[in-house]
């Protein structure tokens, strides 16, 4: 049973769901136990995948690339160090899961679907996943460029991306998908937007100046109106004061006349009546003057109310002006911040372009060195094949010579037996025993010389490697082959990186019982008997 799931709820995963031609379920609980390919819509967390691996023969884990995930987090406002730490932990966990279940899990990068071709669709069909090629173009933004730069500069994240790419199933070849022209267009549009905002700022400043001029005019008009009202009020007040002074004078005169009338009252009634009439007329006149004075006071009250109303309007205009000034200052501050961000993004973009150019140069250099190494490898391979053919022919000749020498040995043994049973051999026995005592050590030394020659003619004994690995032997000035035969093998030293004597004796106990040097036994007998010289060679044999 094949299971298809995703770790991210991205736009690429939703397109995969729309173009897929397999059975789709909403979540883990909706999975059926039939032997068929199923796709889970909702994203899955890593701990849930381990539970799904028990009853599934194969699981396709679709993931967003590190570049896209990092770009999304940067665009959402996440700090770069926090995003890098989070992504490192997440993708390390994914690689650990893949390492634990490498036979069941196949990792697929969702970015591959944006550039997939018919060959890639055929690869998915062979894996059991039927899908259509109706995917949209790759995305490109300034955050994608920033994410690429962050991964290039962070060695840990770069190593994780390389490991993830090595463990991902190759559906199609991914190339650099950043559209630099589009990024430039976006930067230009941002610059145009900044220009527009600056124009709006200038218009707001002009509006502010016009409002200040209008406010100054309003204040001057208001001051003029107040001055006029004060002048009118002062004029009317002076008139009223003059009239009041006249009335006071008239009142004083009336009092004098009243006194005169009172003095003359006793003298003449006629004269009294005339005086009384004059007094009434003067009183009526005084009443009219009093009414005029009250009207002037009422007019003064109306003018005071009008002055308070104009003062309230002036305060309201001053408040609106203060709000406009605050709004203009906030707009100018946001414009300065936006301009600083755009300058920073522009510098980062220039740096990313420079690093990208350096990467292209390094890639070209690596490609040229790779081609030269490949040519050198082909030459070395041909040379090794020729040497191998020569050695094979030499082995055949040596085998033929060995067979002929074996026949000669058999004939010599037959002749030796005849000689031993002869009377001459029996008579010369004392002489032979004496000669054996004189040459008791010679056969061992002859065997030692023969074994030293075998070691120096074998590829499994590397004298330079032996001396470099064990500097104490080099310092003693001993012959490396002689030292290995006499002491090195018993001390557990290796004759080369291709042969392990201790492992050979543990692997073949019958050789250990003979007490023979492991490498000499392998050269003389082990090769023909099909024995292995190291655990790596044994593992490669078992695989074949």
């Amino acid at each position: 049973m094949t299971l298809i799931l995703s770790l991210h709820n991205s736009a690429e995963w939703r397109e995969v769901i729309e173009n897929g031609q397999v059975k789709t379920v909403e979540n883990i609980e909706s999975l059926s136990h039939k032997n068929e390919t199923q796709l889970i819509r909702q994203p899955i967390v890593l701990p849930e995948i381990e539970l799904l691996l028990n009853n599934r023969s194969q699981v396709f884990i679709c993931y967003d690339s590190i570049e896209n995930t990092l770009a999304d987090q940067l665009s959402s406002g996440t700090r770069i160090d926090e995003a890098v730490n989070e992504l490192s932990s997440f993708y390390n966990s994914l690689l650990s899961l893949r390492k634990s279940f490498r036979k069941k899990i196949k990792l697929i990068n969702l970015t591959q679907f944006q550039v997939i071709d018919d060959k890639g669709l055929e690869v998915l069909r062979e894996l059991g996943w039927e899908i259509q090629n109706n995917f949209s173009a790759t995305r490109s933004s300034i955050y994608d460029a920033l994410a690429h730069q962050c991964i290039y500069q962070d060695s840990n994240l770069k190593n994780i991306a390389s490991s993830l790419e090595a463990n991902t199933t190759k559906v199609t070849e991914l190339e650099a998908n950043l559209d630099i022209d589009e990024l430039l267009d976006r930067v230009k549009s941002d610059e145009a937007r900044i220009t527009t905002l600056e124009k709006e700022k200038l218009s707001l400043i002009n509006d502010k100046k016009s409002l200040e001029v209008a406010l100054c005019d309003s204040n001057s008009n208001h001051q003029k109106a107040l001055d006029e009202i004060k002048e009118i009020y002062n004029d009317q007040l002076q008139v009223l004061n003059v009239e009041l002074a006249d009335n006071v004078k008239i009142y004083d005169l009336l009092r004098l006349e009243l006194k005169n009338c009172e003095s003359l009252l006793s003298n003449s009634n006629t004269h009294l009546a005339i005086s009384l009439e004059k007094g009434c007329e003067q009183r009526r006149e005084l009443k009219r003057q009093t009414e005029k004075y009250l009207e002037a006071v009422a007019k003064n009250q109306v003018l005071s109310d009008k002055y308070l109303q104009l003062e309230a309007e002036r305060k309201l205009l001053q408040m609106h002006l203060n709000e406009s000034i605050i709004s203009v200052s906030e707009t100018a501050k946001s414009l300065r911040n936006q301009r600083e961000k755009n300058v920073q993004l522009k510098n980062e973009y220039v740096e990313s372009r420079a690093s990208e150019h350096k990467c292209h140069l390094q890639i070209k250099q690596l490609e040229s060195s790779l081609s030269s190494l490949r040519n050198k490898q082909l030459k070395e391979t041909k040379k090794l094949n020729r040497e191998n053919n020569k050695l094979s022919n030499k082995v055949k000749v040596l085998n033929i010579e060995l067979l002929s020498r074996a026949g000669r040995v058999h004939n010599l043994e037959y002749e030796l037996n005849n000689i031993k049973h002869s009377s001459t051999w029996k008579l010369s026995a004392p002489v032979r025993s004496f000669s054996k005592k004189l040459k008791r050590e010679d056969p061992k030394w002859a065997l030692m010389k023969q074994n030293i020659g075998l070691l120096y003619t074998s590829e499994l004994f590397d004298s330079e490697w032996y001396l470099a690995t064990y500097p104490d032997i080099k310092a003693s000035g001993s012959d490396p082959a002689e030292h290995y035969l006499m002491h090195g093998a018993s001390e557990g030293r290796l004759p080369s990186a291709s042969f392990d004597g201790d492992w050979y004796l543990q692997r073949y106990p019958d050789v250990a019982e003979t007490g023979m040097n492991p490498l000499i036994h392998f050269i003389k007998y082990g090769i023909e008997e099909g024995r292995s010289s190291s655990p790596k060679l044994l593992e490669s044999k078992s695989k074949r």
Side-chain angles (χ1 to χ4, degrees):
M1 181 186 294
T2 302
L3 192 62
I4 304 170
L5 52 89
S6 175
L7 301 175
H8 305 90
N9 189 16
S10 58
E12 291 83 358
W13 172 242
R14 291 192 289 273
E15 285 190 344
V16 167
I17 296 173
E18 293 175 359
N19 295 324
Q21 295 181 347
V22 296
K23 182 179 178 180
T24 304
V25 297
E26 190 65 27
N27 48 34
I28 298 176
E29 290 77 11
S30 305
L31 287 172
S32 64
H33 298 286
K34 296 181 180 179
N35 190 10
E36 58 182 353
T37 302
Q38 300 181 59
L39 183 145
I40 302 177
R41 286 179 174 271
Q42 294 183 2
I44 306 297
V45 295
L46 289 175
E48 293 178 342
I49 298 176
E50 296 185 14
L51 301 176
L52 295 173
L53 290 169
N54 296 327
N55 300 324
R56 302 294 185 280
S57 60
Q58 191 170 347
V59 176
F60 291 162
I61 299 178
C62 300
Y63 68 92
D64 278 354
S65 64
I66 297 181
E67 293 86 350
N68 291 349
T69 308
L70 182 57
D72 292 338
Q73 291 197 5
L74 293 178
S75 63
S76 64
T78 306
R79 291 175 53 188
I80 292 179
D81 52 351
E82 294 177 357
V84 168
N85 292 333
E86 182 179 350
L87 291 182
S88 300
S89 175
F90 175 79
Y91 286 103
N92 275 327
S93 301
L94 178 60
L95 288 171
S96 299
L97 184 65
R98 157 70 179 167
K99 185 177 180 181
S100 301
F101 301 93
R102 66 179 65 188
K103 293 183 178 180
K104 287 189 175 185
I105 289 178
K106 289 188 179 297
L107 298 179
I108 296 180
N109 189 349
L110 288 171
T111 309
Q112 296 182 103
F113 289 101
Q114 297 174 346
V115 292
I116 195 169
D117 52 8
D118 295 336
K119 187 177 179 180
L121 295 176
E122 186 62 29
V123 171
L124 289 177
R125 291 192 193 97
E126 292 176 357
L127 294 174
W129 188 358
E130 188 73 23
I131 196 167
Q132 296 179 349
N133 189 5
N134 293 324
F135 295 95
S136 59
T138 57
R139 67 182 190 177
S140 177
S141 68
I142 194 68
Y143 293 104
D144 294 315
L146 185 58
H148 278 279
Q149 186 68 12
C150 289
I151 294 172
Y152 178 76
Q153 292 179 354
D154 192 283
S155 58
N156 184 26
L157 204 59
K158 189 177 180 181
N159 292 332
I160 293 173
S162 301
S163 301
L164 195 61
E165 182 179 1
N167 285 274
T168 298
T169 302
K170 296 294 185 298
V171 177
T172 185
E173 291 296 332
L174 286 175
E175 298 178 355
N177 56 1
L178 279 180
D179 192 348
I180 303 301
D181 294 333
E182 184 180 354
L183 292 178
L184 289 174
D185 292 338
R186 292 191 180 184
V187 172
K188 289 180 181 178
S189 64
D190 290 339
E191 291 178 351
R193 187 167 179 269
I194 290 172
T195 304
T196 304
L197 291 174
E198 288 179 350
K199 290 180 179 178
E200 291 179 357
K201 173 187 173 183
L202 291 175
S203 64
L204 289 173
I205 291 172
N206 294 328
D207 292 341
K208 173 189 172 183
K209 290 180 179 178
S210 61
L211 286 173
E212 289 177 349
V213 172
L215 182 62
C216 290
D217 295 337
S218 176
N219 289 334
S220 61
N221 294 329
H222 178 66
Q223 190 64 37
K224 288 179 181 180
L226 288 176
D227 294 338
E228 291 177 356
I229 291 170
K230 286 180 180 180
E231 289 177 358
I232 294 171
Y233 176 76
N234 291 329
D235 294 337
Q236 291 182 356
L237 188 61
Q238 289 177 0
V239 171
L240 290 174
N241 288 329
V242 170
E243 291 178 352
L244 183 60
D246 295 335
N247 291 329
V248 170
K249 291 179 180 179
I250 292 170
Y251 180 72
D252 292 334
L253 292 173
L254 289 174
R255 286 182 66 186
L256 292 172
E257 290 178 357
L258 183 60
K259 287 181 180 179
N260 293 327
C261 288
E262 286 177 353
S263 63
L264 294 174
L265 181 61
S266 59
N267 297 324
S268 181
N269 291 328
T270 305
H271 184 71
L272 180 59
I274 295 169
S275 298
L276 287 172
E277 288 179 358
K278 288 181 179 181
C280 289
E281 288 177 358
Q282 293 293 329
R283 286 179 180 177
R284 286 194 292 271
E285 185 65 24
L286 180 61
K287 187 177 181 180
R288 285 195 299 269
Q289 294 296 329
T290 303
E291 289 176 355
K292 287 181 180 181
Y293 173 76
L294 294 174
E295 287 177 358
V297 171
K299 287 181 181 180
N300 187 19
Q301 186 65 35
V302 171
L303 290 174
S304 298
D305 294 336
K306 191 173 182 180
Y307 170 76
L308 293 175
Q309 184 178 0
L310 290 173
E311 185 67 21
E313 289 177 358
R314 186 188 68 80
K315 289 181 180 179
L316 182 63
L317 289 173
Q318 185 67 34
M319 183 176 64
H320 287 314
L321 179 60
N322 293 333
E323 291 177 353
S324 300
I325 292 170
I326 293 170
S327 175
V328 168
S329 64
E330 290 178 352
T331 305
K333 185 177 180 180
S334 64
L335 286 172
R336 285 194 298 272
N337 293 334
Q338 186 65 29
R339 175 172 287 178
E340 290 175 356
K341 287 182 179 179
N342 288 329
V343 170
Q344 184 180 0
L345 290 174
K346 198 168 185 180
N347 294 331
E348 291 175 353
Y349 172 71
V350 171
E351 291 177 0
S352 65
R353 286 296 299 273
S355 62
E356 184 179 1
H357 181 65
K358 290 181 181 178
C359 289
H360 284 307
L361 293 177
Q362 291 178 358
I363 289 169
K364 288 181 180 178
Q365 292 175 359
L366 290 174
E367 287 177 351
S368 63
S369 62
L370 181 61
S371 62
S372 63
L373 288 174
R374 285 178 178 171
N375 295 329
K376 187 176 180 181
Q377 183 184 6
L378 290 174
K379 291 179 181 179
E380 292 292 334
T381 304
K382 291 179 180 179
K383 184 178 179 180
L384 290 174
N385 289 332
R386 288 195 298 269
E387 291 179 357
N388 189 20
N389 293 330
K390 290 180 182 179
L391 291 173
S392 299
N393 295 328
K394 189 176 180 180
V395 168
K396 291 179 181 178
V397 173
L398 290 174
N399 286 329
I400 294 170
E401 186 178 354
L402 181 63
L403 291 173
S404 64
R405 289 188 180 185
R408 289 175 62 188
V409 169
H410 185 268
N411 293 331
L412 290 173
E413 286 178 352
Y414 180 76
E415 292 177 0
L416 182 62
N417 288 328
N418 293 332
I419 292 171
K420 285 181 179 181
H421 290 89
S422 65
S423 58
T424 305
W425 178 264
K426 293 177 181 179
L427 291 173
S428 61
V431 177
R432 287 195 308 273
S433 62
F434 180 76
S435 63
K436 283 181 180 179
K437 289 180 181 179
L438 294 176
K439 299 180 180 180
R440 185 173 294 172
E441 298 299 326
D442 290 344
K444 291 184 178 181
W445 175 245
L447 181 61
M448 176 68 71
K449 289 170 65 177
Q450 182 184 358
N451 289 338
I452 289 173
L454 282 175
L455 291 181
Y456 277 119
T457 56
S458 174
E459 295 179 355
L460 296 176
F461 182 80
D462 190 347
S463 60
E464 294 179 358
W465 182 90
Y466 192 81
L467 293 176
T469 306
Y470 307 109
D472 57 331
I473 301 171
K474 184 176 181 180
S476 66
S478 303
D479 181 85
E482 182 181 352
H483 181 277
Y484 175 74
L485 292 172
M486 294 182 67
H487 310 289
S490 60
E491 292 172 359
R493 302 180 190 258
L494 302 181
S496 68
S498 304
F499 187 86
D500 189 348
D502 288 345
W503 180 86
Y504 187 84
L505 295 176
Q506 292 176 6
R507 175 70 179 170
Y508 306 108
D510 56 331
V511 180
E513 290 175 359
T514 63
M516 193 174 181
N517 184 280
L519 181 54
I520 296 298
H521 182 276
F522 180 76
I523 295 172
K524 287 184 175 181
Y525 311 107
I527 296 174
E528 292 183 359
E529 293 171 0
R531 301 179 189 259
S532 298
S533 62
S534 66
K536 292 183 179 179
L537 183 60
L538 182 65
E539 183 179 359
S540 63
K541 278 186 177 182
S542 63
K543 287 182 179 180
R544 285 198 297 271

